[in-house]
Amino acid sequence: MKKWNVASVRAAKGVRKLGCCTAYDACFARLADESGVPIILVGDSMGMTVLGYGTTLPVKMEETLSATAAVARAAKNAMVVADLPFGSYQCGDDIAMKNAVDCIKAGADAVKLEGGARVSNLIKRMTEAGIPVLAHVGMTPQSVNEYGGFKKQGKTAAAAHQILVDAEKVEAAGAFAVTLECIPSELAAEITSKLSIPTIGIGAGPDCDAQWLVMHDLLGLNESAPSFVKRYADLAGEVRRAFSAYVEEVASGRFPS
């Protein structure tokens, strides 16, 4: 299997739909990679799934870099994308460039950042410097305080039009793909048909070129997943059973034998 890259991801549009997911450590990155996952996102969702925060906002750059390095060491074929955390690119383009470069040096093949037209100049600068960028429009979790919660976006005609404009702007700036999160499926289908770059949906319906799922959601490790999630396993139950059996066998003297 050849390693996935910008060219192969773009070439998949209209040919093959891609099932992509997050990972935050070498163990799960290796398993996802061996299972044929084409893109692994080191998401700032680690704030909620791994670090115990209520949102993605507290995630630090050093945490992203550490997780990115671990995932990159394990993923031999998947494209590894590092999610730039809140504050890492909002405080000036020079700071953003340094943080993006650090992600690439840590082993990422690309970076992801949230926003449309307002970050298009930054995307252009990054791509011109040789840093592949995966854009993100629609419901952007780093704007949760602005939204007043994790809420579907693009429900009015004006809001839908702005998301379409944002998607076109990030494409023009050089993004190789764009995430569409929590928008109406009709809008996602329209954007997908109008862009030449792949769209990766999460809670955006079936017509995107690819899909994201948070690893903990698809594996059933997170038991309060969003309604659009499909669980492909119930690992939370299996993990509880394993821990309980271990504790009971030690207490009863059956382990070690």
Side-chain angles (χ1 to χ4, degrees):
M1 185 183 299
K2 293 182 178 179
K3 182 173 173 63
W4 285 87
N5 55 39
V6 168
S8 55
V9 169
R10 294 192 65 159
K13 185 178 177 76
V15 177
R16 172 186 174 186
K17 292 198 173 186
L18 306 179
C20 311
C21 69
T22 63
Y24 317 97
D25 61 29
C27 175
F28 280 104
R30 176 180 58 82
L31 294 172
D33 187 68
E34 291 173 350
S35 303
V37 173
I39 307 176
I40 296 175
L41 174 66
V42 186
D44 61 0
S45 50
M46 78 174 80
M48 303 168 74
T49 59
V50 175
L51 301 177
Y53 298 125
T55 70
T56 65
L57 300 180
V59 176
K60 300 177 179 64
M61 193 66 218
E62 52 266 32
E63 292 167 333
T64 294
L65 293 174
S66 177
T68 297
V71 168
R73 284 191 289 267
K76 306 304 181 185
N77 300 305
M79 184 179 195
V80 177
V81 179
D83 213 349
L84 291 173
F86 181 70
S88 67
Y89 59 98
Q90 290 91 347
C91 300
D93 286 2
D94 289 343
I95 294 173
M97 289 296 295
K98 179 187 182 303
N99 288 327
V101 167
D102 286 347
C103 286
I104 301 299
K105 286 182 177 291
D109 300 302
V111 299
K112 184 173 82 64
L113 69 163
E114 298 180 3
R118 62 184 175 84
V119 295
S120 59
N121 288 336
L122 178 57
I123 291 173
K124 185 173 188 293
R125 183 174 172 185
M126 287 182 177
T127 56
E128 287 178 345
I131 302 170
V133 176
L134 199 162
H136 185 153
V137 303
M139 199 283 286
T140 49
Q142 292 177 11
S143 301
V144 61
N145 290 337
E146 179 183 350
Y147 301 145
F150 297 105
K151 299 178 180 179
K152 178 174 281 192
Q153 301 298 304
K155 294 190 289 186
T156 67
H161 176 71
Q162 183 58 56
I163 292 172
L164 172 60
V165 169
D166 283 338
E168 292 173 334
K169 289 284 189 181
V170 297
E171 177 184 37
F176 73 90
V178 58
T179 292
L180 307 178
E181 181 165 0
C182 288
I183 63 174
S185 58
E186 298 83 1
L187 175 58
E190 179 184 5
I191 294 172
T192 299
S193 68
K194 288 187 174 181
L195 298 188
S196 63
I197 60 174
T199 59
I200 309 180
I202 178 167
D207 296 310
C208 296
D209 298 300
Q211 297 291 330
W212 289 122
L213 276 180
V214 170
M215 181 197 82
H216 289 68
D217 292 341
L218 79 90
L219 294 179
L221 289 166
N222 179 6
E223 295 171 298
S224 58
S227 60
F228 60 80
V229 166
K230 179 176 180 179
R231 290 190 178 96
Y232 289 84
D234 177 22
L235 294 195
E238 290 298 315
V239 169
R240 285 195 190 95
R241 280 189 286 274
F243 281 138
S244 295
Y246 167 66
V247 170
E248 191 279 327
E249 288 195 5
V250 170
S252 66
R254 283 186 290 163
F255 178 84
S257 60

